[in-house]
Coordinates of all heavy atoms in Angstrom, one line a residue:
M23 N -15.9 -2.8 20.0 CA -15.1 -1.6 19.7 C -14.9 -1.4 18.2 O -14.8 -2.3 17.5 CB -13.7 -1.9 20.3 CG -12.8 -0.7 20.4 SD -11.2 -1.1 21.1 CE -10.2 -1.4 19.6
R24 N -15.0 -0.1 17.9 CA -14.9 0.2 16.5 C -13.4 0.4 16.1 O -12.6 0.8 16.9 CB -15.7 1.5 16.1 CG -17.1 1.3 16.3 CD -17.9 2.5 15.7 NE -17.5 2.7 14.3 CZ -18.0 3.7 13.6 NH1 -18.8 4.5 14.1 NH2 -17.7 3.8 12.3
H25 N -13.2 0.1 14.8 CA -11.9 0.4 14.3 C -11.8 1.9 14.2 O -12.7 2.6 13.9 CB -11.7 -0.1 12.9 CG -11.3 -1.6 12.8 ND1 -10.0 -1.9 13.0 CD2 -12.0 -2.7 12.7 CE1 -9.9 -3.2 12.9 NE2 -11.1 -3.7 12.7
R26 N -10.6 2.4 14.5 CA -10.4 3.9 14.3 C -10.4 4.1 12.8 O -9.6 3.7 12.1 CB -9.1 4.3 14.9 CG -7.9 3.6 14.4 CD -6.6 3.9 15.2 NE -5.7 2.9 14.9 CZ -4.7 3.0 14.0 NH1 -4.6 4.0 13.3 NH2 -3.9 2.0 13.8
R27 N -11.4 4.9 12.4 CA -11.6 5.3 11.0 C -10.7 4.6 10.1 O -10.0 5.2 9.3 CB -11.4 6.8 10.9 CG -12.5 7.6 11.5 CD -12.5 8.9 10.8 NE -12.6 8.7 9.4 CZ -12.9 9.6 8.5 NH1 -13.3 10.8 8.8 NH2 -12.9 9.3 7.2
S28 N -10.8 3.3 10.1 CA -9.8 2.5 9.4 C -10.2 2.5 7.9 O -11.3 2.7 7.5 CB -9.8 1.1 9.9 OG -11.0 0.5 9.7
I29 N -9.2 2.2 7.1 CA -9.4 2.0 5.7 C -9.5 0.5 5.5 O -8.9 -0.3 6.3 CB -8.2 2.6 4.9 CG1 -6.9 2.3 5.6 CG2 -8.3 4.1 4.7 CD1 -5.7 2.9 5.0
E30 N -10.2 0.1 4.6 CA -10.4 -1.3 4.3 C -9.1 -1.9 3.7 O -8.8 -1.4 2.6 CB -11.5 -1.6 3.3 CG -12.9 -1.6 3.9 CD -13.8 -1.8 2.7 OE1 -13.8 -2.9 2.1 OE2 -14.6 -0.9 2.4
L31 N -8.5 -2.8 4.3 CA -7.3 -3.4 3.7 C -7.6 -4.7 3.0 O -8.4 -5.5 3.4 CB -6.3 -3.6 4.8 CG -5.8 -2.3 5.4 CD1 -4.7 -2.7 6.5 CD2 -5.1 -1.4 4.4
M32 N -6.9 -4.8 1.9 CA -7.1 -6.0 1.1 C -5.7 -6.6 0.9 O -4.7 -5.9 0.9 CB -7.6 -5.8 -0.3 CG -9.0 -5.2 -0.2 SD -9.6 -4.9 -1.9 CE -8.5 -3.6 -2.4
P33 N -5.6 -7.9 0.8 CA -4.3 -8.5 0.6 C -3.8 -8.0 -0.8 O -4.6 -7.7 -1.7 CB -4.6 -10.0 0.5 CG -6.0 -10.2 0.8 CD -6.7 -8.9 0.9
R34 N -2.5 -7.9 -0.9 CA -2.0 -7.3 -2.1 C -2.3 -8.1 -3.4 O -2.2 -7.6 -4.5 CB -0.5 -7.1 -2.0 CG 0.2 -8.4 -1.8 CD 1.7 -8.3 -1.8 NE 2.2 -9.6 -1.5 CZ 3.4 -10.0 -1.8 NH1 4.3 -9.2 -2.4 NH2 3.8 -11.2 -1.5
E35 N -2.6 -9.4 -3.2 CA -2.8 -10.2 -4.3 C -4.0 -9.6 -5.2 O -4.0 -9.8 -6.4 CB -3.2 -11.6 -3.9 CG -2.0 -12.5 -3.6 CD -1.4 -12.1 -2.2 OE1 -2.2 -11.5 -1.4 OE2 -0.3 -12.4 -1.9
N36 N -4.9 -8.9 -4.5 CA -6.0 -8.3 -5.2 C -5.6 -7.2 -6.1 O -6.4 -6.7 -6.9 CB -7.1 -7.9 -4.2 CG -7.8 -9.1 -3.6 OD1 -7.7 -10.2 -4.0 ND2 -8.6 -8.8 -2.6
A37 N -4.4 -6.7 -5.9 CA -3.9 -5.6 -6.6 C -4.1 -5.8 -8.1 O -4.3 -4.9 -8.9 CB -2.5 -5.2 -6.3
A38 N -3.9 -7.0 -8.5 CA -3.9 -7.4 -9.9 C -5.3 -7.1 -10.6 O -5.4 -6.8 -11.7 CB -3.5 -8.9 -10.1
D39 N -6.3 -7.2 -9.7 CA -7.7 -6.9 -10.3 C -7.8 -5.4 -10.6 O -8.8 -5.1 -11.3 CB -8.7 -7.2 -9.2 CG -8.7 -8.7 -8.9 OD1 -8.1 -9.5 -9.7 OD2 -9.2 -9.1 -7.8
Y40 N -7.0 -4.6 -10.1 CA -7.2 -3.2 -10.3 C -6.1 -2.5 -11.1 O -5.9 -1.4 -11.1 CB -7.3 -2.5 -8.9 CG -8.4 -3.0 -8.1 CD1 -8.2 -4.0 -7.2 CD2 -9.7 -2.5 -8.2 CE1 -9.2 -4.6 -6.4 CE2 -10.7 -3.1 -7.5 CZ -10.5 -4.1 -6.6 OH -11.5 -4.6 -5.9
G41 N -5.4 -3.4 -11.8 CA -4.3 -2.9 -12.6 C -3.0 -3.2 -11.9 O -2.9 -3.1 -10.7
S42 N -2.1 -3.7 -12.6 CA -0.9 -4.2 -12.0 C 0.2 -3.2 -11.8 O 1.2 -3.6 -11.2 CB -0.4 -5.4 -12.8 OG -0.2 -5.0 -14.1
T43 N 0.1 -2.0 -12.2 CA 1.1 -1.1 -12.0 C 0.6 0.1 -11.3 O -0.6 0.4 -11.2 CB 1.7 -0.6 -13.4 OG1 0.7 0.1 -14.1 CG2 2.3 -1.7 -14.2
L44 N 1.5 0.9 -10.8 CA 1.2 2.0 -10.0 C 0.3 3.0 -10.7 O -0.7 3.6 -10.2 CB 2.5 2.7 -9.5 CG 2.4 3.8 -8.4 CD1 1.7 3.2 -7.1 CD2 3.7 4.4 -8.1
E45 N 0.6 3.2 -12.0 CA -0.2 4.3 -12.7 C -1.6 3.8 -13.0 O -2.5 4.6 -13.3 CB 0.6 4.7 -14.0 CG 0.6 3.6 -15.0 CD 1.4 4.1 -16.3 OE1 1.4 5.3 -16.5 OE2 1.9 3.2 -17.0
L46 N -1.8 2.5 -13.0 CA -3.2 2.0 -13.2 C -4.0 1.9 -12.0 O -5.2 1.6 -12.1 CB -3.1 0.6 -13.9 CG -2.5 0.6 -15.3 CD1 -2.4 -0.8 -15.8 CD2 -3.4 1.5 -16.3
L47 N -3.4 2.1 -10.8 CA -4.2 2.0 -9.6 C -5.1 3.2 -9.4 O -4.6 4.3 -9.4 CB -3.2 1.9 -8.4 CG -3.8 1.6 -7.0 CD1 -4.4 0.2 -7.0 CD2 -2.8 1.9 -6.0
P48 N -6.4 3.0 -9.3 CA -7.3 4.1 -9.1 C -6.9 5.0 -7.9 O -6.4 4.5 -6.9 CB -8.7 3.4 -8.8 CG -8.5 2.1 -9.4 CD -7.1 1.7 -9.2
E49 N -7.3 6.3 -8.0 CA -6.8 7.2 -7.0 C -7.4 7.0 -5.6 O -6.8 7.5 -4.6 CB -7.3 8.6 -7.5 CG -6.2 9.4 -8.2 CD -6.7 10.8 -8.6 OE1 -7.4 11.4 -7.8 OE2 -6.4 11.2 -9.7
W50 N -8.5 6.4 -5.5 CA -9.1 6.2 -4.2 C -8.5 5.0 -3.4 O -9.0 4.7 -2.3 CB -10.7 6.0 -4.3 CG -11.1 4.9 -5.2 CD1 -11.3 3.6 -4.9 CD2 -11.4 5.1 -6.6 NE1 -11.7 2.9 -6.0 CE2 -11.8 3.8 -7.1 CE3 -11.5 6.1 -7.5 CZ2 -12.2 3.5 -8.4 CZ3 -11.8 5.9 -8.8 CH2 -12.2 4.6 -9.3
Y51 N -7.5 4.4 -4.0 CA -6.8 3.4 -3.2 C -5.6 4.1 -2.6 O -4.9 4.9 -3.2 CB -6.4 2.3 -4.1 CG -7.5 1.3 -4.4 CD1 -8.2 1.5 -5.6 CD2 -7.8 0.4 -3.5 CE1 -9.3 0.6 -5.8 CE2 -8.9 -0.5 -3.7 CZ -9.6 -0.3 -4.9 OH -10.7 -1.1 -5.2
V52 N -5.3 3.7 -1.4 CA -4.1 4.2 -0.7 C -3.2 3.0 -0.6 O -3.6 1.8 -0.4 CB -4.3 4.8 0.6 CG1 -5.1 6.1 0.4 CG2 -5.1 3.9 1.6
L53 N -1.9 3.2 -0.6 CA -0.9 2.2 -0.4 C -0.5 2.1 1.1 O -0.3 3.2 1.7 CB 0.3 2.5 -1.2 CG 0.1 2.7 -2.7 CD1 1.4 3.0 -3.4 CD2 -0.5 1.4 -3.3
V54 N -0.5 1.0 1.6 CA -0.1 0.8 3.0 C 1.0 -0.3 3.1 O 0.8 -1.3 2.4 CB -1.3 0.3 3.8 CG1 -0.9 0.1 5.3 CG2 -2.5 1.3 3.8
A55 N 2.0 0.0 3.8 CA 3.1 -1.0 3.9 C 2.9 -1.7 5.3 O 2.6 -1.0 6.3 CB 4.4 -0.2 3.9
K56 N 3.1 -3.0 5.3 CA 3.1 -3.7 6.5 C 4.5 -4.4 6.7 O 4.9 -5.1 5.9 CB 2.0 -4.7 6.5 CG 1.9 -5.5 7.8 CD 0.7 -6.4 7.8 CE 0.5 -7.1 9.1 NZ -0.5 -8.1 9.0
C57 N 5.0 -4.2 7.9 CA 6.3 -4.7 8.2 C 6.2 -6.2 8.5 O 5.3 -6.6 9.3 CB 6.9 -3.9 9.4 SG 8.5 -4.6 9.9
G58 N 7.1 -7.0 8.0 CA 7.1 -8.4 8.2 C 7.7 -8.8 9.6 O 7.5 -9.9 10.0
A59 N 8.4 -7.8 10.2 CA 9.0 -8.1 11.5 C 8.2 -7.6 12.7 O 7.8 -8.4 13.5 CB 10.4 -7.5 11.5
C60 N 7.9 -6.3 12.7 CA 7.2 -5.8 13.8 C 5.7 -5.5 13.6 O 5.0 -5.0 14.5 CB 7.9 -4.5 14.3 SG 7.6 -3.0 13.2
R61 N 5.2 -5.8 12.4 CA 3.8 -5.6 12.0 C 3.4 -4.2 11.9 O 2.2 -3.9 11.9 CB 2.9 -6.3 13.0 CG 3.2 -7.8 13.2 CD 2.8 -8.6 12.0 NE 3.4 -9.9 12.0 CZ 3.5 -10.7 11.0 NH1 3.1 -10.3 9.8 NH2 4.0 -11.9 11.1
H62 N 4.3 -3.3 12.0 CA 3.9 -1.9 11.9 C 3.3 -1.6 10.5 O 3.8 -2.2 9.5 CB 5.2 -1.0 12.1 CG 5.0 0.4 11.9 ND1 5.5 1.2 10.8 CD2 4.3 1.3 12.6 CE1 5.2 2.4 10.9 NE2 4.4 2.6 12.0
Q63 N 2.3 -0.8 10.5 CA 1.7 -0.4 9.2 C 1.8 1.1 9.0 O 1.6 1.8 9.9 CB 0.2 -0.8 9.2 CG 0.0 -2.3 9.1 CD -1.4 -2.7 8.9 OE1 -2.3 -1.9 8.6 NE2 -1.8 -4.0 9.1
G64 N 2.0 1.5 7.8 CA 2.1 2.9 7.5 C 1.7 3.2 6.1 O 1.9 2.4 5.2
R65 N 1.0 4.3 5.9 CA 0.6 4.7 4.6 C 1.9 5.1 3.8 O 2.9 5.6 4.3 CB -0.2 6.0 4.7 CG -1.6 5.8 5.2 CD -2.6 5.6 4.1 NE -2.7 6.7 3.2 CZ -3.6 7.7 3.3 NH1 -4.5 7.7 4.3 NH2 -3.7 8.7 2.4
I66 N 1.8 4.9 2.5 CA 2.9 5.3 1.6 C 2.3 6.2 0.6 O 1.2 6.0 0.1 CB 3.4 4.0 0.8 CG1 3.6 2.8 1.7 CG2 4.7 4.4 0.1 CD1 3.9 1.6 0.9
D67 N 3.1 7.3 0.4 CA 2.7 8.2 -0.7 C 3.1 7.6 -2.0 O 4.3 7.4 -2.3 CB 3.4 9.5 -0.4 CG 2.9 10.6 -1.3 OD1 2.4 10.3 -2.4 OD2 3.1 11.8 -1.0
R68 N 2.1 7.4 -2.9 CA 2.4 6.8 -4.2 C 3.4 7.6 -5.0 O 4.1 7.1 -5.8 CB 1.1 6.4 -4.9 CG 0.3 7.7 -5.4 CD -0.7 7.3 -6.4 NE -1.9 6.6 -5.7 CZ -2.9 6.0 -6.3 NH1 -2.9 6.0 -7.7 NH2 -3.8 5.4 -5.7
R69 N 3.3 8.9 -4.8 CA 4.2 9.8 -5.6 C 5.7 9.6 -5.2 O 6.6 9.8 -6.0 CB 3.8 11.3 -5.4 CG 2.6 11.6 -6.2 CD 2.1 13.0 -5.7 NE 1.7 12.8 -4.3 CZ 1.1 13.8 -3.6 NH1 0.9 15.0 -4.2 NH2 0.8 13.7 -2.4
M70 N 5.9 9.2 -3.9 CA 7.2 8.9 -3.5 C 7.8 7.7 -4.2 O 8.9 7.6 -4.6 CB 7.3 8.7 -2.0 CG 7.0 9.9 -1.1 SD 8.1 11.3 -1.5 CE 9.6 10.6 -0.8
I71 N 6.9 6.7 -4.3 CA 7.3 5.4 -5.0 C 7.6 5.8 -6.5 O 8.6 5.4 -7.1 CB 6.1 4.4 -5.0 CG1 5.7 4.1 -3.5 CG2 6.5 3.1 -5.7 CD1 6.5 3.1 -2.8
A72 N 6.7 6.6 -7.1 CA 6.8 6.9 -8.5 C 8.1 7.7 -8.8 O 8.7 7.5 -9.8 CB 5.6 7.7 -9.0
K73 N 8.4 8.5 -7.8 CA 9.7 9.3 -8.0 C 10.9 8.4 -8.1 O 11.8 8.7 -8.8 CB 9.8 10.2 -6.7 CG 10.2 11.6 -7.0 CD 10.1 12.4 -5.7 CE 10.6 13.8 -5.9 NZ 10.5 14.6 -4.7
T74 N 10.9 7.4 -7.3 CA 12.0 6.5 -7.2 C 12.0 5.4 -8.3 O 13.0 5.1 -8.9 CB 12.1 5.8 -5.8 OG1 11.9 6.8 -4.8 CG2 13.4 5.1 -5.6
Y75 N 10.8 4.8 -8.5 CA 10.7 3.6 -9.4 C 10.0 3.9 -10.6 O 9.9 3.0 -11.5 CB 10.1 2.5 -8.6 CG 10.9 2.1 -7.3 CD1 10.4 2.5 -6.1 CD2 12.1 1.4 -7.4 CE1 11.2 2.2 -4.9 CE2 12.8 1.1 -6.3 CZ 12.4 1.5 -5.1 OH 13.1 1.3 -3.9
G76 N 9.3 5.0 -10.7 CA 8.5 5.3 -11.9 C 7.1 4.8 -11.8 O 6.8 3.9 -11.0
W77 N 6.2 5.4 -12.6 CA 4.8 5.1 -12.5 C 4.5 3.7 -13.0 O 3.4 3.1 -12.8 CB 3.9 6.1 -13.2 CG 3.8 7.4 -12.5 CD1 4.5 8.5 -12.8 CD2 3.0 7.7 -11.3 NE1 4.2 9.5 -11.8 CE2 3.3 9.0 -11.0 CE3 2.1 6.9 -10.6 CZ2 2.7 9.6 -9.9 CZ3 1.5 7.5 -9.5 CH2 1.8 8.8 -9.2
G78 N 5.4 3.1 -13.8 CA 5.2 1.8 -14.4 C 5.6 0.7 -13.5 O 5.5 -0.5 -13.9
V79 N 6.0 1.0 -12.3 CA 6.4 -0.1 -11.4 C 5.2 -1.0 -11.0 O 4.1 -0.6 -10.9 CB 7.0 0.5 -10.1 CG1 6.0 1.2 -9.2 CG2 7.7 -0.6 -9.3
H80 N 5.5 -2.3 -11.0 CA 4.5 -3.2 -10.7 C 4.2 -3.2 -9.1 O 5.1 -3.2 -8.3 CB 4.9 -4.7 -11.1 CG 4.7 -4.8 -12.6 ND1 3.6 -5.5 -13.1 CD2 5.5 -4.4 -13.6 CE1 3.7 -5.5 -14.4 NE2 4.9 -4.8 -14.8
L81 N 2.9 -3.3 -8.8 CA 2.5 -3.2 -7.4 C 3.1 -4.3 -6.6 O 3.5 -4.2 -5.5 CB 0.9 -3.3 -7.3 CG 0.2 -2.0 -7.9 CD1 -1.3 -2.3 -7.8 CD2 0.6 -0.8 -7.2
N82 N 3.1 -5.5 -7.2 CA 3.6 -6.6 -6.5 C 5.1 -6.7 -6.3 O 5.7 -7.6 -5.7 CB 3.1 -8.0 -7.0 CG 3.4 -8.2 -8.5 OD1 4.3 -7.5 -9.0 ND2 2.7 -9.0 -9.1
S83 N 5.8 -5.7 -6.9 CA 7.3 -5.6 -6.7 C 7.6 -4.5 -5.7 O 8.8 -4.4 -5.3 CB 8.0 -5.4 -8.0 OG 7.7 -4.1 -8.5
I84 N 6.6 -3.8 -5.3 CA 6.9 -2.6 -4.4 C 7.3 -3.1 -3.0 O 8.1 -2.6 -2.3 CB 5.7 -1.7 -4.3 CG1 5.6 -1.0 -5.7 CG2 5.9 -0.6 -3.2 CD1 4.4 -0.1 -5.8
G85 N 6.6 -4.2 -2.6 CA 6.8 -4.7 -1.2 C 8.3 -5.0 -0.9 O 8.8 -4.7 0.2
R86 N 9.0 -5.5 -1.9 CA 10.4 -5.8 -1.7 C 11.3 -4.6 -1.5 O 12.4 -4.7 -1.1 CB 10.9 -6.6 -3.0 CG 10.3 -8.0 -3.0 CD 11.2 -8.8 -4.1 NE 11.0 -8.3 -5.4 CZ 10.0 -8.8 -6.2 NH1 9.2 -9.7 -5.8 NH2 9.9 -8.3 -7.5
T87 N 10.8 -3.5 -1.9 CA 11.6 -2.3 -1.9 C 11.4 -1.5 -0.6 O 12.1 -0.5 -0.3 CB 11.3 -1.3 -3.0 OG1 9.9 -0.7 -2.8 CG2 11.3 -2.1 -4.4
L88 N 10.4 -1.9 0.2 CA 10.0 -1.2 1.4 C 11.0 -1.4 2.6 O 11.5 -2.5 2.8 CB 8.6 -1.5 1.8 CG 7.5 -1.3 0.7 CD1 6.2 -1.9 1.2 CD2 7.4 0.2 0.5
K89 N 11.1 -0.3 3.3 CA 11.9 -0.4 4.6 C 11.0 0.1 5.7 O 10.4 1.2 5.6 CB 13.1 0.4 4.5 CG 14.0 0.3 5.7 CD 15.2 1.3 5.5 CE 15.9 1.4 6.9 NZ 16.8 2.5 6.9
C90 N 10.9 -0.6 6.8 CA 10.0 -0.2 7.9 C 10.5 1.0 8.5 O 11.7 1.2 8.8 CB 10.0 -1.4 8.9 SG 8.9 -0.9 10.3
S91 N 9.6 2.0 8.7 CA 10.0 3.3 9.3 C 10.2 3.1 10.8 O 10.7 4.0 11.5 CB 9.0 4.4 9.0 OG 7.8 4.0 9.5
R92 N 9.7 2.0 11.4 CA 9.9 1.9 12.9 C 11.1 1.1 13.2 O 11.8 1.5 14.1 CB 8.6 1.2 13.4 CG 8.6 1.2 14.9 CD 7.2 1.1 15.5 NE 6.8 -0.3 15.5 CZ 5.6 -0.7 16.0 NH1 4.7 0.2 16.4 NH2 5.2 -1.9 15.9
C93 N 11.2 -0.1 12.6 CA 12.3 -1.0 13.0 C 13.4 -1.1 12.0 O 14.4 -1.7 12.2 CB 11.8 -2.3 13.4 SG 11.3 -3.4 12.1
G94 N 13.2 -0.6 10.8 CA 14.2 -0.6 9.8 C 14.3 -1.9 9.0 O 15.2 -2.1 8.2
N95 N 13.4 -2.8 9.3 CA 13.4 -4.1 8.6 C 13.1 -4.0 7.1 O 12.3 -3.2 6.7 CB 12.3 -5.0 9.3 CG 12.1 -6.3 8.4 OD1 13.0 -7.1 8.3 ND2 10.8 -6.4 8.0
R96 N 13.8 -4.8 6.3 CA 13.5 -4.8 4.9 C 13.0 -6.2 4.4 O 12.8 -6.4 3.2 CB 14.8 -4.5 4.1 CG 15.3 -3.1 4.2 CD 16.6 -3.0 3.5 NE 17.1 -1.6 3.6 CZ 16.8 -0.7 2.7 NH1 16.0 -0.9 1.7 NH2 17.3 0.5 2.8
E97 N 12.8 -7.1 5.3 CA 12.5 -8.5 4.9 C 11.0 -8.8 5.1 O 10.5 -8.4 6.2 CB 13.3 -9.5 5.7 CG 14.7 -9.3 5.8 CD 15.5 -10.2 4.8 OE1 15.2 -11.4 4.8 OE2 16.4 -9.6 4.1
G98 N 10.4 -9.4 4.1 CA 9.0 -9.8 4.3 C 8.0 -8.7 4.4 O 6.9 -8.9 4.8
N99 N 8.3 -7.5 4.0 CA 7.4 -6.5 4.0 C 6.3 -6.6 2.9 O 6.6 -7.1 1.8 CB 8.1 -5.1 3.9 CG 9.0 -4.8 5.0 OD1 8.8 -5.4 6.1 ND2 10.0 -4.0 4.8
K100 N 5.1 -6.2 3.2 CA 4.0 -6.4 2.3 C 3.4 -5.0 1.9 O 3.3 -4.1 2.7 CB 3.0 -7.3 2.9 CG 3.3 -8.7 3.0 CD 2.1 -9.6 3.0 CE 2.4 -11.0 2.5 NZ 2.7 -11.9 3.5
L101 N 3.0 -5.0 0.7 CA 2.2 -3.8 0.2 C 0.7 -4.2 0.3 O 0.3 -5.2 -0.3 CB 2.6 -3.4 -1.2 CG 1.8 -2.2 -1.7 CD1 2.3 -1.0 -1.1 CD2 1.9 -2.1 -3.2
L102 N 0.0 -3.4 1.0 CA -1.5 -3.7 1.0 C -2.2 -2.5 0.4 O -1.6 -1.4 0.3 CB -2.0 -3.7 2.5 CG -1.3 -4.8 3.4 CD1 -1.8 -4.6 4.8 CD2 -1.5 -6.2 2.9
L103 N -3.4 -2.7 -0.1 CA -4.1 -1.6 -0.7 C -5.3 -1.3 0.2 O -6.0 -2.2 0.7 CB -4.7 -2.1 -2.1 CG -3.7 -2.3 -3.2 CD1 -4.4 -2.8 -4.4 CD2 -2.8 -1.1 -3.4
G104 N -5.4 0.0 0.5 CA -6.5 0.4 1.3 C -7.5 1.2 0.5 O -7.0 1.9 -0.4
R105 N -8.8 1.2 0.8 CA -9.7 2.0 0.1 C -10.2 3.0 1.0 O -10.6 2.8 2.1 CB -10.9 1.1 -0.4 CG -11.7 1.7 -1.4 CD -12.4 0.7 -2.3 NE -12.8 -0.4 -1.6 CZ -13.7 -1.3 -2.1 NH1 -14.1 -1.2 -3.4 NH2 -14.1 -2.4 -1.4
L106 N -10.2 4.3 0.5 CA -10.7 5.3 1.4 C -12.2 5.2 1.5 O -12.9 4.9 0.6 CB -10.4 6.7 0.7 CG -8.9 7.0 0.6 CD1 -8.7 8.2 -0.2 CD2 -8.3 7.2 2.0
P107 N -12.7 5.5 2.8 CA -14.1 5.4 3.0 C -14.8 6.5 2.2 O -14.4 7.6 2.1 CB -14.3 5.6 4.5 CG -13.0 6.3 4.9 CD -11.9 5.9 3.9
R108 N -16.0 6.1 1.6 CA -16.8 7.1 0.9 C -17.9 7.5 1.8 O -18.9 6.8 2.0 CB -17.3 6.4 -0.4 CG -16.2 6.2 -1.4 CD -16.6 5.2 -2.5 NE -18.0 5.2 -2.8 CZ -18.4 5.3 -4.1 NH1 -17.6 5.5 -5.0 NH2 -19.7 5.2 -4.3
D109 N -17.8 8.7 2.4 CA -18.9 9.1 3.2 C -19.2 10.6 3.0 O -19.0 11.1 1.9 CB -18.7 8.9 4.7 CG -17.3 9.3 5.2 OD1 -16.7 10.2 4.5 OD2 -16.7 8.7 6.1
Ligands
ZN402 ZN1 9.1 -2.9 11.5

């Protein structure tokens, strides 16, 4: 079975390789939040983050600010980086 047009996800630890702040993250990466409680994953609009926390916010601090849109959980949420497929 194929993944539904999935984006490649990497653990957020790799974020440091691509610049540690939101403004340094290349455009072809998308931000994905993963809920620590219900495992729900959802794309995040980086502009929404920037609006609230500024472009200088560190990628590894974003996870703590996330709230799950499905269950409302705020604990243990992770920020993942996805790469858009190039086709
Ligand atoms: Zn959740």
Side-chain angles (χ1 to χ4, degrees):
M23 193 181 95
R24 293 189 59 180
H25 276 279
R26 59 191 157 95
R27 286 206 50 162
S28 64
I29 41 186
E30 279 179 62
L31 295 179
M32 298 180 294
R34 64 175 173 156
E35 282 75 20
N36 290 349
D39 297 341
Y40 301 94
S42 55
T43 64
L44 193 57
E45 69 181 336
L46 293 176
L47 186 70
E49 261 179 44
W50 54 88
Y51 283 96
V52 294
L53 304 175
V54 178
K56 184 174 180 186
C57 177
C60 74
R61 306 288 168 198
H62 177 247
Q63 291 188 13
R65 290 265 300 264
I66 315 172
D67 186 340
R68 65 170 74 189
R69 282 165 302 181
M70 293 301 292
I71 305 272
K73 224 172 172 177
T74 312
Y75 302 102
W77 287 102
V79 68
H80 283 260
L81 294 177
N82 56 17
S83 69
I84 293 175
R86 289 195 292 272
T87 71
L88 300 171
K89 183 184 168 196
C90 179
S91 61
R92 188 158 81 179
C93 73
N95 169 60
R96 290 176 179 276
E97 311 259 314
N99 297 336
K100 288 205 157 92
L101 179 75
L102 306 173
L103 295 178
R105 193 153 40 168
L106 293 171
R108 289 160 33 125
D109 47 25

